[in-house]
Amino acid sequence: MRAAWAIARNDLAQLLAQPVAAIVTVAVPINFLILFVLFAVGGGVVPVTVRAAGHGPATAAFVHALRNSYTFDVQPVATAAQAARAIASQNSVASIALPRNVGAAHSTIAVTIDNLNADFADDIRRALPLAVTQFYRGVLPLQWREVDSYPATATFLGFIAVSIQTVALLIGGLLQGGLGVAREWEGGTIKELLLAPVPGWSVVAGKLLAAFLGALAGALLVLVALLLLGVRPHAWAEYAGVMVLVLIVFACLGVGIGSALRSRQTVFPLAFGVGLPLFFISGPFGAITWGTPAAAWAARIFPVVYANAAFQHAAYGIWTLDTSVGASWAILAGWTLLGLLASVWLYRRATVAH
Amino acid sequence: MWALIKKDLAIWVRSPAVMAVTLLPPLALLLVLALQAVAVTSYPVAIVNEDPRGAAAATLVRTAEAYNGFRTQLLSPADAQAAYANLQVAAILTIPPGFSADLAAGRRPSLTWAVRNFNADSTDDLRRALPDVVTSFLATGAAGADPIGIAIREQDVHPHDAGLVAFEMVGMLAMLMLQAGLINAGLAAVKEWETGSVKELLISPVPALRLIAGKVVAGVVAADLAGVVVTGLTVAFGLLPTPTLTQGLIALAAMTLLASFGAGIGVALAAALRSGDRMNPVAINASFYLFFLSGGVVALAYLPAWLRAVARVIPNTYAVSALRQTLLYGSTAGTGTDMLWLAVAAAVGLVVGVPALRRGLAH
């Protein structure tokens, strides 16, 4: 075990000796968080201009309905030219022109939509009927009552930010594990490790420990950022438990990948190439069962989806997966064991070939 | 110079790792966006009709089933609850017993809309959806005279809605071009230091400027090859419409200018970092940031004002704009301004990169 500890210390010292590489690899997960903050900020509200011909209570009531449609960021404008300029300069994506007699029989609302894509345009098309029904709510022949599953709804940013904790562990573990092992082959120092009078497993253990600690630094950075964003896990023990388990899995897989590829230049794109798709298919925006069956099927193979569900549970007390809590933890534990075995097997296989 | 370009291109073609660094991240993003496109445009919803004999209830069910924001299943109350509990559906629309009779009698029956409110985004999508269904239902006349007097007249800026995946694809194409320019030119330069061949270059009778030009041009050509292959594949798979010759040439020019900017920055980074291990993460991170900051996955208008101001000084923004106009909307409107800004960006990139690498070689 002393040898493992020495190898881990050496790896961490090497990481610190290359400050640019260290900062970039440790900061990669936090970069993801920043990038997805932008994504969430962008997807939040739809900027529209509203030009009202009248100023009566009906107009005020309709503008109020637009503002309460969970969709629009209403920017009042006085002329059609201003509305057109706002669209042309990409400051708004639609202009809504309210007639003087809004709400009277046969009144027409003219809407110009910058239909950049079907998803964005449909949000606007669907929000207008919501505003209209709110405006007419008192005279509609039917009503509806919304029953939410949970007393509070997480913000979009808060929800996806929790999943980014998993990405931090995934990319951090793969990078730290993979780069640490690949470096030995590229620098030729693997020979020295092989000739050293220490058992092979202690080399793997040392590499794993270094990868674990290196990736933990990035994951903790993400956690601090989540706290600053207002995410407050209500089950800290569960949060810490899933963090440790998942980090072991990906550090192990990183060591295995590094042994198999023996090239730092290949480990880096692989960590990104694997991390991003797994993030997107593993339920960062909702339940995987609401999406494409093929994506849900693929997501179930990997541990990311179970880690995401466990993090959401620890953070918000909601369970976002159709696999039970116990079964999900069992799968994560199974992946940990598999990861450990894979790292040892791939390292041994690589060194035998060497 | 031609010999240098040929040599660097030959190295690129024979370097699967470099090709992977260039192509893997954007292609991976494209794959997952294609897989997720269904999820963001419609939700699985259970409908429980407790008024099975009512004509108005039947019309409401048909209206909800035809709604393009739902993937509906008509279920019994127990099955719907089971599907809701197992997360097979995101919401349950329950039509109460006596709905049609209550409507006819003017008793204002109440629908129940059970929503799995995981987060504000998906919940708001569902909150928007039901009123849309209700207005369509009222317009059928099944609930008597439609009290809604407002008509909505829609006019669209583009002749058709682009698909979400195609829209994202164009943003990623810009990211690919920048990343390819950065990495190909940067790694080609870094390799000279890593392999020690920089000494041979320095003692050769070729002027330094020509050496650098060779690296930059090779990086841009390799990026263009990658861009043309990815664009060709997306057109072949029907994700993007086939562009006209003019549109295709403008798109290629936009890609080339963006890659030139990337190559300029790439050789500057190479001179500063002199190591592939440092170069790769810096280049990948830089291109990701520029992709998101230029509104790659959303659109400029959705960003807050400060971010829109940032986006306006990022060359990706103009490349994305020109590529969307030509490849997505089949138009060349506004591409002149985009090309002008891209040309300025390419010039800035080269003005920064070439002297930096020249100084690096001199040391």
Side-chain angles (χ1 to χ4, degrees):
Chain A
M1 205 58 214
R2 254 184 29 211
W5 180 237
I7 289 167
R9 269 200 320 193
N10 177 55
D11 270 22
L12 289 172
Q14 283 201 40
L15 186 69
L16 294 174
Q18 295 175 319
V20 175
I23 290 168
V24 170
T25 45
V26 170
V28 161
I30 205 87
N31 291 348
F32 271 88
L33 184 62
I34 296 168
L35 298 177
F36 282 100
V37 165
L38 293 176
F39 178 75
V41 165
V45 287
V46 179
V48 294
T49 58
V50 174
R51 181 169 54 91
H55 300 284
T59 299
F62 197 85
V63 172
H64 181 74
L66 285 172
R67 289 188 203 275
N68 284 293
S69 62
Y70 309 108
T71 307
F72 296 125
D73 171 19
V74 173
Q75 306 163 17
V77 290
T79 64
Q82 283 176 329
R85 267 203 305 276
I87 290 181
S89 61
Q90 301 188 59
N91 288 318
S92 89
V93 286
S95 68
I96 300 170
L98 302 180
R100 191 175 297 278
N101 63 340
V102 66
H106 309 300
S107 59
T108 300
I109 294 176
V111 182
T112 304
I113 299 177
D114 188 1
N115 53 328
L116 294 163
N117 67 54
D119 186 50
F120 293 172
D122 282 349
D123 274 354
I124 300 166
R125 292 176 185 132
R126 289 168 188 171
L128 283 168
L130 171 57
V132 168
T133 52
Q134 282 194 0
F135 181 74
Y136 282 103
R137 191 129 200 178
V139 297
L140 292 180
L142 77 167
Q143 48 197 324
W144 58 93
R145 184 173 58 94
E146 182 182 316
V147 181
D148 291 340
S149 297
Y150 311 104
T153 306
T155 62
F156 185 43
L157 177 56
F159 191 87
I160 61 170
V162 170
S163 302
I164 290 167
Q165 185 73 76
T166 316
V167 181
L169 300 168
L170 186 156
I171 295 187
L174 289 183
L175 278 182
Q176 299 293 346
L179 297 178
V181 177
R183 191 191 300 125
E184 305 290 355
W185 261 278
E186 284 184 351
T189 46
I190 190 70
K191 284 182 185 166
E192 291 158 31
L193 279 178
L194 289 173
L195 292 172
V198 292
W201 67 263
S202 66
V203 177
V204 177
K207 293 286 172 195
L208 280 178
L209 187 59
F212 182 91
L213 293 174
L216 187 63
L220 290 175
L221 266 178
V222 169
L223 180 57
V224 170
L226 292 186
L227 293 172
L228 291 174
L229 286 172
V231 176
R232 299 277 183 277
H234 82 273
W236 275 104
E238 186 182 8
Y239 202 93
V242 69
M243 198 182 222
V244 168
L245 213 53
V246 173
L247 195 47
I248 295 172
V249 173
F250 289 114
C252 289
L253 294 179
V255 168
I257 287 168
S259 303
L261 299 176
R262 305 176 198 182
S263 153
R264 282 180 284 179
Q265 215 171 72
T266 320
V267 167
F268 208 91
L270 192 79
F272 272 90
V274 169
L276 277 176
L278 283 181
F279 168 78
F280 275 104
I281 63 171
S282 300
F285 311 119
I288 57 168
T289 38
W290 300 354
T292 322
W297 180 86
R300 283 178 211 282
I301 298 171
F302 301 98
V304 179
V305 71
Y306 307 100
N308 275 348
F311 274 130
Q312 296 290 3
H313 192 242
Y316 298 113
I318 57 177
W319 189 253
T320 57
L321 198 57
D322 57 345
T323 307
S324 71
V325 178
S328 296
W329 275 94
I331 290 169
L332 283 175
W335 263 99
T336 311
L337 189 65
L338 190 70
L340 282 166
L341 293 173
S343 64
V344 174
W345 180 71
L346 283 167
Y347 175 79
R348 286 216 166 138
R349 191 168 166 268
T351 48
V352 165
H354 192 70
Chain B
M1 190 170 88
W2 178 235
L4 278 165
I5 296 171
K6 271 205 304 191
K7 184 207 84 172
D8 278 356
L9 282 175
I11 290 173
W12 184 74
V13 169
R14 287 175 203 162
S15 306
V18 179
M19 289 173 87
V21 170
T22 314
L23 293 170
L24 208 52
L27 288 179
L29 263 177
L30 175 66
L31 173 72
V32 294
L33 284 170
L35 284 172
Q36 289 300 90
V38 175
V40 291
T41 49
S42 65
Y43 288 89
V45 168
I47 301 174
V48 175
N49 185 2
E50 294 185 314
D51 181 22
R53 293 175 195 277
T59 305
L60 179 56
V61 169
R62 279 198 299 276
T63 308
E65 284 175 336
Y67 182 59
N68 68 352
F70 289 161
R71 283 169 279 142
T72 54
Q73 302 171 57
L74 188 59
L75 299 174
S76 68
D79 287 346
Q81 283 302 330
Y84 191 60
N86 287 332
L87 302 173
Q88 302 304 310
V89 294
I92 307 174
L93 173 62
T94 304
I95 302 169
F99 173 79
S100 304
D102 286 349
L103 262 183
R107 286 193 291 266
R108 299 191 74 208
S110 182
L111 302 167
T112 303
W113 186 221
V115 172
R116 179 74 68 179
N117 57 322
F118 278 147
N119 65 62
D121 186 60
S122 58
T123 307
D124 288 350
D125 278 349
L126 291 164
R127 283 174 180 154
R128 277 191 287 263
L130 185 59
D132 206 0
V133 171
V134 167
T135 49
S136 300
F137 166 68
L138 294 176
T140 64
D146 185 355
I148 295 177
I150 295 174
I152 292 171
R153 194 182 69 233
E154 180 183 326
Q155 189 185 352
D156 293 334
V157 170
H158 304 290
H160 59 88
D161 294 358
L164 180 62
V165 176
F167 182 83
E168 308 293 9
M169 177 63 221
V170 172
M172 274 181 278
L173 189 58
M175 180 176 84
L176 167 71
M177 296 313 295
L178 181 69
Q179 193 167 295
L182 263 168
I183 289 176
N184 294 330
L187 282 186
V190 151
K191 232 180 180 66
E192 307 292 358
W193 269 286
E194 287 187 332
T195 58
S197 53
V198 68
K199 287 179 190 168
E200 289 155 35
L201 285 179
L202 286 172
I203 55 171
S204 72
V206 183
L209 204 60
R210 205 172 291 173
L211 291 175
I212 297 166
K215 300 243 164 270
V216 169
V217 173
V220 173
V221 171
D224 273 346
L225 284 174
V228 168
V229 167
V230 172
T231 311
L233 282 175
T234 48
V235 170
F237 283 111
L239 281 171
L240 290 174
T242 308
T244 63
L245 183 64
T246 312
Q247 290 160 3
L249 287 175
I250 292 174
L252 183 62
M255 290 195 276
T256 305
L257 287 171
L258 185 63
S260 303
F261 168 75
I265 302 298
V267 292
L269 285 174
L273 302 172
R274 298 183 186 190
S275 147
D277 292 337
R278 292 192 285 263
M279 181 76 205
N280 271 338
V282 170
I284 289 181
N285 277 307
S287 54
F288 262 92
Y289 272 111
L290 295 174
F291 170 63
F292 280 91
L293 289 172
S294 63
V297 285
V298 285
L300 226 50
Y302 287 82
L303 303 174
W306 66 269
L307 205 47
R308 283 204 298 272
V310 172
R312 289 189 206 288
V313 295
I314 295 176
N316 275 46
T317 306
Y318 302 98
V320 168
S321 169
L323 292 174
R324 278 184 186 154
Q325 280 299 333
T326 50
L327 297 179
L328 208 54
Y329 306 127
S331 162
T332 55
T335 50
T337 314
D338 294 328
M339 301 304 278
L340 186 67
W341 282 113
L342 282 170
V344 170
V348 168
L350 295 174
V351 164
V352 169
V354 172
L357 187 57
R358 205 172 179 179
R359 274 197 304 276
L361 287 173
H363 282 93

PDB file of all heavy atoms in Angstrom, chain A residues 188-199:
ATOM      1  N   GLY A 188       7.634   6.619 -21.388  1.00  0.00           N
ATOM      2  CA  GLY A 188       8.484   5.439 -21.265  1.00  0.00           C
ATOM      3  C   GLY A 188       8.707   5.003 -19.823  1.00  0.00           C
ATOM      4  O   GLY A 188       9.417   4.031 -19.561  1.00  0.00           O
ATOM      5  N   THR A 189       8.087   5.690 -18.858  1.00  0.00           N
ATOM      6  CA  THR A 189       8.313   5.361 -17.447  1.00  0.00           C
ATOM      7  C   THR A 189       7.549   4.112 -17.009  1.00  0.00           C
ATOM      8  O   THR A 189       7.722   3.650 -15.881  1.00  0.00           O
ATOM      9  CB  THR A 189       7.896   6.541 -16.547  1.00  0.00           C
ATOM     10  OG1 THR A 189       6.629   7.011 -16.987  1.00  0.00           O
ATOM     11  CG2 THR A 189       8.896   7.672 -16.606  1.00  0.00           C
ATOM     12  N   ILE A 190       6.715   3.583 -17.907  1.00  0.00           N
ATOM     13  CA  ILE A 190       5.983   2.361 -17.559  1.00  0.00           C
ATOM     14  C   ILE A 190       6.978   1.210 -17.302  1.00  0.00           C
ATOM     15  O   ILE A 190       6.735   0.336 -16.480  1.00  0.00           O
ATOM     16  CB  ILE A 190       4.965   1.991 -18.677  1.00  0.00           C
ATOM     17  CG1 ILE A 190       4.043   0.873 -18.218  1.00  0.00           C
ATOM     18  CG2 ILE A 190       5.654   1.597 -19.969  1.00  0.00           C
ATOM     19  CD1 ILE A 190       3.066   1.267 -17.178  1.00  0.00           C
ATOM     20  N   LYS A 191       8.116   1.267 -18.024  1.00  0.00           N
ATOM     21  CA  LYS A 191       9.132   0.204 -17.845  1.00  0.00           C
ATOM     22  C   LYS A 191       9.644   0.217 -16.400  1.00  0.00           C
ATOM     23  O   LYS A 191       9.818  -0.820 -15.783  1.00  0.00           O
ATOM     24  CB  LYS A 191      10.302   0.425 -18.807  1.00  0.00           C
ATOM     25  CG  LYS A 191       9.963   0.038 -20.230  1.00  0.00           C
ATOM     26  CD  LYS A 191      11.163   0.230 -21.135  1.00  0.00           C
ATOM     27  CE  LYS A 191      10.749  -0.047 -22.581  1.00  0.00           C
ATOM     28  NZ  LYS A 191      11.747   0.420 -23.525  1.00  0.00           N
ATOM     29  N   GLU A 192       9.892   1.421 -15.910  1.00  0.00           N
ATOM     30  CA  GLU A 192      10.390   1.533 -14.534  1.00  0.00           C
ATOM     31  C   GLU A 192       9.364   1.008 -13.538  1.00  0.00           C
ATOM     32  O   GLU A 192       9.704   0.333 -12.572  1.00  0.00           O
ATOM     33  CB  GLU A 192      10.730   2.988 -14.217  1.00  0.00           C
ATOM     34  CG  GLU A 192      11.955   3.465 -14.991  1.00  0.00           C
ATOM     35  CD  GLU A 192      12.021   4.965 -15.133  1.00  0.00           C
ATOM     36  OE1 GLU A 192      11.547   5.677 -14.233  1.00  0.00           O
ATOM     37  OE2 GLU A 192      12.545   5.429 -16.162  1.00  0.00           O
ATOM     38  N   LEU A 193       8.113   1.312 -13.805  1.00  0.00           N
ATOM     39  CA  LEU A 193       7.046   0.819 -12.911  1.00  0.00           C
ATOM     40  C   LEU A 193       6.982  -0.702 -12.940  1.00  0.00           C
ATOM     41  O   LEU A 193       6.804  -1.361 -11.915  1.00  0.00           O
ATOM     42  CB  LEU A 193       5.693   1.391 -13.328  1.00  0.00           C
ATOM     43  CG  LEU A 193       5.343   2.807 -12.868  1.00  0.00           C
ATOM     44  CD1 LEU A 193       3.982   3.220 -13.409  1.00  0.00           C
ATOM     45  CD2 LEU A 193       5.333   2.907 -11.348  1.00  0.00           C
ATOM     46  N   LEU A 194       7.147  -1.268 -14.158  1.00  0.00           N
ATOM     47  CA  LEU A 194       7.061  -2.718 -14.302  1.00  0.00           C
ATOM     48  C   LEU A 194       8.254  -3.421 -13.637  1.00  0.00           C
ATOM     49  O   LEU A 194       8.120  -4.530 -13.114  1.00  0.00           O
ATOM     50  CB  LEU A 194       6.992  -3.102 -15.781  1.00  0.00           C
ATOM     51  CG  LEU A 194       5.674  -2.754 -16.482  1.00  0.00           C
ATOM     52  CD1 LEU A 194       5.777  -3.031 -17.969  1.00  0.00           C
ATOM     53  CD2 LEU A 194       4.532  -3.557 -15.873  1.00  0.00           C
ATOM     54  N   LEU A 195       9.405  -2.746 -13.703  1.00  0.00           N
ATOM     55  CA  LEU A 195      10.610  -3.361 -13.112  1.00  0.00           C
ATOM     56  C   LEU A 195      10.694  -3.137 -11.600  1.00  0.00           C
ATOM     57  O   LEU A 195      11.477  -3.802 -10.922  1.00  0.00           O
ATOM     58  CB  LEU A 195      11.855  -2.765 -13.789  1.00  0.00           C
ATOM     59  CG  LEU A 195      12.032  -3.160 -15.268  1.00  0.00           C
ATOM     60  CD1 LEU A 195      13.174  -2.372 -15.898  1.00  0.00           C
ATOM     61  CD2 LEU A 195      12.292  -4.653 -15.398  1.00  0.00           C
ATOM     62  N   ALA A 196       9.885  -2.197 -11.091  1.00  0.00           N
ATOM     63  CA  ALA A 196       9.934  -1.920  -9.648  1.00  0.00           C
ATOM     64  C   ALA A 196       9.425  -3.134  -8.866  1.00  0.00           C
ATOM     65  O   ALA A 196       8.529  -3.842  -9.332  1.00  0.00           O
ATOM     66  CB  ALA A 196       9.073  -0.707  -9.336  1.00  0.00           C
ATOM     67  N   PRO A 197       9.991  -3.386  -7.692  1.00  0.00           N
ATOM     68  CA  PRO A 197       9.577  -4.578  -6.910  1.00  0.00           C
ATOM     69  C   PRO A 197       8.275  -4.342  -6.149  1.00  0.00           C
ATOM     70  O   PRO A 197       8.223  -4.442  -4.920  1.00  0.00           O
ATOM     71  CB  PRO A 197      10.758  -4.765  -5.953  1.00  0.00           C
ATOM     72  CG  PRO A 197      11.309  -3.395  -5.768  1.00  0.00           C
ATOM     73  CD  PRO A 197      11.080  -2.646  -7.022  1.00  0.00           C
ATOM     74  N   VAL A 198       7.240  -3.941  -6.894  1.00  0.00           N
ATOM     75  CA  VAL A 198       5.920  -3.738  -6.264  1.00  0.00           C
ATOM     76  C   VAL A 198       4.891  -4.512  -7.079  1.00  0.00           C
ATOM     77  O   VAL A 198       5.060  -4.687  -8.292  1.00  0.00           O
ATOM     78  CB  VAL A 198       5.520  -2.240  -6.218  1.00  0.00           C
ATOM     79  CG1 VAL A 198       6.420  -1.463  -5.276  1.00  0.00           C
ATOM     80  CG2 VAL A 198       5.518  -1.634  -7.612  1.00  0.00           C
ATOM     81  N   PRO A 199       3.846  -5.014  -6.415  1.00  0.00           N
ATOM     82  CA  PRO A 199       2.827  -5.769  -7.165  1.00  0.00           C
ATOM     83  C   PRO A 199       2.045  -4.857  -8.125  1.00  0.00           C
ATOM     84  O   PRO A 199       1.912  -3.655  -7.873  1.00  0.00           O
ATOM     85  CB  PRO A 199       1.903  -6.312  -6.070  1.00  0.00           C
ATOM     86  CG  PRO A 199       2.156  -5.474  -4.874  1.00  0.00           C
ATOM     87  CD  PRO A 199       3.547  -4.960  -4.976  1.00  0.00           C
TER      88      PRO A 199
END
